[in-house]
Coordinates of all heavy atoms in Angstrom, one line a residue:
Q24 N -251.4 45.6 36.4 CA -250.0 45.3 36.1 C -249.1 45.8 37.3 O -248.1 45.1 37.6 CB -249.5 46.0 34.8 CG -250.1 45.4 33.6 CD -249.8 46.2 32.3 OE1 -248.6 46.6 32.1 NE2 -250.8 46.3 31.5
Q25 N -249.5 47.0 37.8 CA -248.7 47.5 38.9 C -248.8 46.6 40.1 O -247.8 46.3 40.8 CB -249.3 48.9 39.4 CG -248.9 50.0 38.4 CD -249.6 51.3 38.8 OE1 -250.6 51.3 39.6 NE2 -249.0 52.4 38.3
V26 N -250.0 46.1 40.4 CA -250.1 45.2 41.6 C -249.4 43.9 41.3 O -248.7 43.4 42.3 CB -251.6 44.9 41.9 CG1 -251.8 43.8 42.9 CG2 -252.4 46.2 42.3
V27 N -249.4 43.3 40.1 CA -248.7 42.1 39.8 C -247.2 42.4 40.0 O -246.5 41.6 40.6 CB -249.0 41.6 38.4 CG1 -248.0 40.5 38.0 CG2 -250.4 41.1 38.3
F28 N -246.7 43.5 39.5 CA -245.3 43.8 39.6 C -244.9 43.9 41.1 O -243.9 43.2 41.5 CB -244.9 45.1 38.9 CG -243.5 45.6 39.2 CD1 -242.5 45.0 38.4 CD2 -243.2 46.5 40.1 CE1 -241.2 45.4 38.6 CE2 -241.9 46.9 40.3 CZ -240.9 46.3 39.6
W29 N -245.6 44.6 41.9 CA -245.2 44.8 43.3 C -245.4 43.5 44.1 O -244.7 43.2 45.0 CB -245.9 46.0 43.9 CG -245.4 47.2 43.4 CD1 -246.0 48.1 42.5 CD2 -244.1 47.8 43.6 NE1 -245.2 49.1 42.2 CE2 -244.0 48.9 42.8 CE3 -243.0 47.3 44.3 CZ2 -242.8 49.7 42.8 CZ3 -241.8 48.1 44.3 CH2 -241.7 49.3 43.5
H30 N -246.4 42.7 43.7 CA -246.6 41.4 44.3 C -245.3 40.5 44.1 O -244.8 39.9 45.0 CB -247.8 40.7 43.6 CG -248.1 39.3 44.0 ND1 -249.1 39.0 44.9 CD2 -247.5 38.1 43.7 CE1 -249.1 37.7 45.1 NE2 -248.1 37.1 44.4
E31 N -244.8 40.6 42.9 CA -243.6 39.8 42.6 C -242.3 40.4 43.3 O -241.5 39.7 43.8 CB -243.3 39.7 41.1 CG -244.4 38.9 40.4 CD -244.6 37.5 40.9 OE1 -243.7 36.8 41.4 OE2 -245.8 37.0 40.9
V32 N -242.3 41.7 43.4 CA -241.2 42.4 44.2 C -241.3 41.9 45.7 O -240.2 41.5 46.3 CB -241.3 43.9 44.1 CG1 -240.4 44.5 45.2 CG2 -241.0 44.4 42.7
V33 N -242.5 41.8 46.2 CA -242.6 41.4 47.6 C -242.1 39.9 47.7 O -241.4 39.6 48.7 CB -244.1 41.5 48.1 CG1 -244.3 40.8 49.5 CG2 -244.5 43.0 48.2
H34 N -242.5 39.1 46.8 CA -242.0 37.7 46.8 C -240.5 37.7 46.8 O -239.8 37.0 47.6 CB -242.4 36.9 45.6 CG -243.7 36.2 45.7 ND1 -244.0 35.3 46.6 CD2 -244.9 36.4 45.0 CE1 -245.2 34.8 46.5 NE2 -245.8 35.5 45.5
G35 N -239.8 38.5 45.9 CA -238.4 38.6 45.9 C -237.7 39.0 47.1 O -236.7 38.4 47.6
I36 N -238.3 40.0 47.8 CA -237.7 40.6 49.0 C -237.9 39.5 50.1 O -236.9 39.2 50.8 CB -238.4 41.9 49.4 CG1 -238.0 43.0 48.4 CG2 -238.0 42.3 50.9 CD1 -238.9 44.2 48.6
L37 N -239.1 38.9 50.2 CA -239.3 37.9 51.3 C -238.4 36.7 51.1 O -238.0 36.1 52.0 CB -240.8 37.6 51.4 CG -241.7 38.7 51.9 CD1 -243.1 38.3 51.8 CD2 -241.3 39.1 53.3
E38 N -238.2 36.3 49.8 CA -237.4 35.2 49.6 C -236.0 35.3 50.1 O -235.3 34.4 50.6 CB -237.3 34.9 48.0 CG -236.7 33.6 47.6 CD -237.5 32.4 48.1 OE1 -238.8 32.5 48.2 OE2 -236.9 31.4 48.5
E39 N -235.5 36.6 50.2 CA -234.2 36.9 50.7 C -234.2 36.9 52.3 O -233.3 36.5 52.9 CB -233.7 38.3 50.2 CG -233.3 38.3 48.8 CD -232.0 37.5 48.5 OE1 -231.1 37.6 49.3 OE2 -232.0 36.7 47.5
I40 N -235.3 37.5 52.8 CA -235.2 37.7 54.3 C -236.1 36.8 55.1 O -235.9 36.6 56.3 CB -235.6 39.2 54.6 CG1 -237.0 39.5 54.1 CG2 -234.6 40.2 54.1 CD1 -237.5 40.9 54.6
K41 N -237.1 36.2 54.5 CA -238.1 35.3 55.2 C -238.7 34.4 54.3 O -239.9 34.5 53.9 CB -239.1 36.2 55.9 CG -239.7 35.6 57.1 CD -239.3 36.3 58.4 CE -240.2 35.8 59.5 NZ -239.5 35.7 60.7
P42 N -238.0 33.4 53.8 CA -238.5 32.5 52.7 C -239.9 31.9 53.0 O -240.7 31.8 52.1 CB -237.4 31.4 52.6 CG -236.2 32.1 53.1 CD -236.6 33.0 54.1
K43 N -240.1 31.5 54.2 CA -241.4 30.9 54.5 C -242.6 31.8 54.2 O -243.6 31.5 53.7 CB -241.5 30.3 55.9 CG -240.7 29.1 56.1 CD -240.9 28.6 57.6 CE -240.1 27.3 57.8 NZ -240.3 26.7 59.1
L44 N -242.4 33.1 54.6 CA -243.4 34.1 54.4 C -243.6 34.4 52.9 O -244.7 34.8 52.5 CB -243.1 35.4 55.2 CG -244.2 36.4 55.4 CD1 -245.4 35.8 56.1 CD2 -243.6 37.5 56.3
S45 N -242.6 34.2 52.1 CA -242.7 34.4 50.7 C -243.7 33.5 50.0 O -244.3 33.8 49.0 CB -241.3 34.2 50.0 OG -241.4 34.3 48.6
N46 N -244.0 32.3 50.7 CA -245.0 31.4 50.2 C -246.4 31.7 50.6 O -247.3 31.0 50.2 CB -244.6 30.0 50.6 CG -243.3 29.5 49.9 OD1 -243.1 29.8 48.8 ND2 -242.5 28.8 50.7
D47 N -246.6 32.7 51.4 CA -248.0 33.0 51.9 C -248.6 34.0 50.9 O -248.4 35.2 51.0 CB -247.9 33.7 53.3 CG -249.2 34.0 53.9 OD1 -250.2 34.1 53.2 OD2 -249.2 34.1 55.1
E48 N -249.3 33.5 49.9 CA -249.9 34.3 48.9 C -250.8 35.4 49.4 O -250.9 36.5 48.8 CB -250.6 33.4 47.8 CG -249.7 32.7 46.9 CD -248.9 33.7 46.0 OE1 -249.4 34.7 45.5 OE2 -247.7 33.3 45.8

Side-chain angles (χ1 to χ4, degrees):
Q24 291 174 44
Q25 288 176 338
V26 172
V27 169
F28 175 79
W29 291 110
H30 176 103
E31 296 305 325
V32 167
V33 171
H34 271 300
I36 292 169
L37 290 174
E38 192 62 34
E39 288 290 317
I40 60 174
K41 203 112 169 144
K43 284 185 180 180
L44 198 51
S45 177
N46 295 321
D47 185 338
E48 282 297 320

